Amino acid sequence: WEDYKDRAYAFTHTEYGKKIYARRKETIERSFADSKELHGLRYCRMRGLAKAAEQCLLTAAVQNMKKIANILSNRDIMQSVKRCLLFLPTYTKPAGKGRVLSVI
């Protein structure tokens, strides 16, 4: 077991390992922090391993639903913006040396 831990530790000191590990705080650690602060995972509400696991799974499910809702709402916003841009009039202005730019 120690050999594997040493290999993992050595990997974190390579250039690629440093780059991956730096993103950890933005992704994985952030998710755990949100679970604790926003979703009540700091303390278990019920006793027993099965009920604690249930609370963790429900919290993870809620976080996933929030991510999906954010992605869908952003997609809807972007589609609305694109639809609005289709109806804006475009005009052309000289770009110099005979070229013409179309500006929205």
Side-chain angles (χ1 to χ4, degrees), residues 70-85:
N70 282 331
I71 289 169
L72 290 176
S73 70
N74 288 340
R75 185 183 303 155
D76 291 343
I77 290 170
M78 290 306 296
Q79 287 175 352
S80 297
V81 168
K82 287 178 184 177
R83 278 190 218 113
C84 289
L85 289 177

Side-chain angles (χ1 to χ4, degrees), residues 12-43:
T12 60
H13 288 81
T14 64
E15 287 300 318
Y16 184 64
K18 287 178 184 177
K19 191 161 67 169
I20 290 174
Y21 198 74
R23 296 233 344 129
R24 179 184 173 98
K25 67 180 176 224
E26 300 168 5
T27 55
I28 296 170
E29 298 298 333
R30 174 70 186 258
S31 176
F32 285 118
D34 287 346
S35 297
K36 287 169 61 176
E37 291 296 319
L38 304 175
H39 300 288
L41 202 60
R42 189 174 296 275
Y43 302 103

Side-chain angles (χ1 to χ4, degrees), residues 43-95:
Y43 302 103
C44 288
R45 304 283 181 231
M46 297 170 269
R47 292 180 181 243
L49 185 60
K51 291 180 181 177
E54 179 182 334
Q55 182 182 351
C56 290
L57 289 173
L58 284 173
T59 300
V62 166
Q63 285 182 299
N64 288 337
M65 285 184 238
K66 283 174 62 175
K67 284 181 188 177
I68 291 169
N70 282 331
I71 289 169
L72 290 176
S73 70
N74 288 340
R75 185 183 303 155
D76 291 343
I77 290 170
M78 290 306 296
Q79 287 175 352
S80 297
V81 168
K82 287 178 184 177
R83 278 190 218 113
C84 289
L85 289 177
L86 289 175
F87 295 109
L88 285 178
T90 61
Y91 65 95
T92 57
K93 66 178 184 179

